[in-house]
């Protein structure tokens, strides 16, 4: 398996508090890896370190075989790293198509500039319409985001991040507030239509994680305490104690 992401000995402190300690694992190309753990385990902190919004105190990170240590967030994006958009970056009054097209243009930067203004706009709109169509949302392309359901908006969020076919997409609780069926639909779209993009997925619903991920990494108090296939993780005694709230049996 070729790794798209390699974490080695990653540590992050906030003052005297260790939020991440010696975190090490890989995500393979095209792989879907679940990242689970109780509140405060360090999952979001790890995402911030991977994306370059926080600088780690220790360790090294490689993306597609190259060190990204010290690299600015935008440089990491240019090398194929994406995360789901914060809600704040979405424009509720604009349509699904307009929001995604905007993300395409923002992501593309220089990539679409050679088209020239009007050409770039229509190229971005075409990509947006195609992404919505693949996700079964063609009929919602001209609907303002504020009139869409929570589940549909979450799909649009994901499509915005997928606008430029990243090699690795980090998803921090994309299924929060979604029904089981909506969560399955969102992850199904990601896996089916964007199989070349590896996913690192944080979710609190472990049925979702176990159901959609090739491998699962479990964190507690800033450390990795277990990893493996969903079946392996389900049987791991320490994971059961720490996270699944089970005493076994
Ligand atoms: N900027 C910060 N300054 C100080 N402490 C922080 C900061 N960011 C996070 N922490 C602390 O680091 C720990 C890990 O937080 P983090 O948000 O990464 O956990 P999480 O696994 O994402 O939890 P949740 O499942 O609740 O989202 C927590 O104890 C949190 O209070
Ligand atoms: Mg978090």
């Amino acid at each position: 398996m070729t790794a798209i992401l390699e974490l080695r000995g990653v540590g992050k402190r906030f003052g005297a508090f260790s939020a991440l300690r010696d975190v090490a694992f890989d995500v393979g190309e095209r792989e879907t890896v679940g990242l689970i753990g109780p509140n405060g385990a360090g999952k979001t902190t790890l995402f911030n370190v991977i994306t370059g919004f926080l600088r780690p105190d220790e360790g090294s990170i490689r993306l597609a075989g190259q060190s990204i240590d010290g690299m600015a967030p935008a440089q990491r994006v240019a090398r194929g790293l994406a995360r789901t958009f914060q809600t704040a970056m979405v424009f509720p009054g604009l349509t699904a198509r307009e929001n995604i097209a905007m993300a395409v243009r923002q992501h593309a930067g220089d990539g679409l500039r050679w088209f020239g203004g009007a050409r770039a706009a229509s190229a971005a709109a075409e990509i947006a319409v195609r992404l919505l169509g693949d996700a079964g949302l063609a009929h919602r392309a001209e609907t303002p985001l504020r009139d869409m359901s929570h589940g549909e908006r979450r799909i649009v969020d994901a499509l915005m991040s997928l606008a430029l076919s990243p090699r690795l997409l980090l998803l921090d609780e994309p299924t929060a507030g979604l029904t089981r069926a909506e969560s399955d639909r969102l992850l199904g779209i990601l896996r089916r239509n964007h199989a070349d993009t590896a996913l690192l997925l944080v979710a609190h619903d472990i049925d979702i994680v176990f159901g959609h991920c090739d491998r699962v990494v479990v964190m507690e108090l800033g450390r990795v305490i277990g990893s493996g296939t969903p079946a392996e993780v389900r049987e791991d005694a320490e994971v059961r104690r720490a996270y699944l709230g089970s005493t076994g049996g």
Side-chain angles (χ1 to χ4, degrees):
M1 181 182 73
T2 311
I4 185 70
L5 179 72
E6 299 162 79
L7 303 172
R8 294 294 177 270
V10 173
K12 176 68 193 172
R13 284 182 296 276
F14 297 113
F17 175 76
S18 280
L20 297 175
R21 284 185 280 188
D22 197 24
V23 172
F25 64 88
D26 288 358
V27 176
E29 280 179 351
R30 304 167 61 98
E31 195 181 26
T32 296
V33 174
L35 182 61
I36 63 173
N39 296 117
K43 305 179 298 293
T44 297
T45 302
L46 184 61
F47 274 19
N48 286 330
V49 165
I50 295 169
T51 52
F53 287 96
L54 282 177
R55 186 177 284 267
D57 297 303
E58 281 124 31
S60 65
I61 304 178
R62 293 166 81 83
L63 182 68
Q66 294 191 315
S67 170
I68 55 170
D69 298 331
M71 223 178 245
Q75 289 177 282
R76 300 178 192 218
V77 171
R79 283 162 187 264
L81 180 66
R83 76 189 305 172
T84 40
F85 272 68
Q86 302 295 312
T87 334
M89 298 182 75
V90 167
F91 295 89
L94 297 185
T95 68
R97 175 182 54 75
E98 287 165 336
N99 271 284
I100 296 170
M102 200 136 49
V104 171
R105 297 192 66 180
Q106 191 179 334
H107 272 306
D110 290 338
L112 283 180
R113 193 172 296 161
W114 57 271
F115 277 121
R119 286 284 308 284
S122 67
E126 262 173 49
I127 294 172
V129 166
R130 178 173 53 75
L131 286 168
L132 282 161
D134 291 346
L137 284 177
H139 62 296
R140 301 294 262 164
E142 304 308 322
T143 304
L145 277 191
R146 63 164 167 256
D147 296 334
M148 297 179 84
S149 72
H150 185 63
E152 288 173 332
R153 282 204 304 270
R154 280 294 159 100
I155 292 172
V156 172
D157 286 347
L159 296 179
M160 288 173 70
S161 310
L162 288 163
L164 231 72
S165 307
R167 301 182 69 178
L168 173 65
L169 174 60
L170 309 182
L171 299 140
D172 198 353
E173 305 196 33
T175 56
L178 299 191
T179 64
R180 181 67 202 269
E182 287 171 328
S183 301
D184 285 337
R185 179 168 176 220
L186 172 59
L187 287 162
I189 290 165
L190 290 169
R191 290 292 10 125
R192 228 182 16 256
N193 300 341
H194 304 277
D196 288 338
T197 299
L199 305 179
L200 183 58
L201 167 72
V202 170
H204 279 286
D205 182 335
I206 53 175
D207 289 335
I208 296 288
V209 172
F210 286 176
H212 289 276
C213 293
D214 304 310
R215 279 190 309 123
V216 179
V217 174
V218 189
M219 290 182 67
E220 184 191 28
L221 299 174
R223 294 179 189 275
V224 174
I225 60 162
S227 68
T229 64
E232 287 164 353
V233 166
R234 210 187 280 275
E235 293 310 314
D236 186 297
E238 195 179 359
V239 172
R240 293 170 73 105
R241 174 194 60 72
Y243 189 62
L244 305 180
S246 164
T247 53

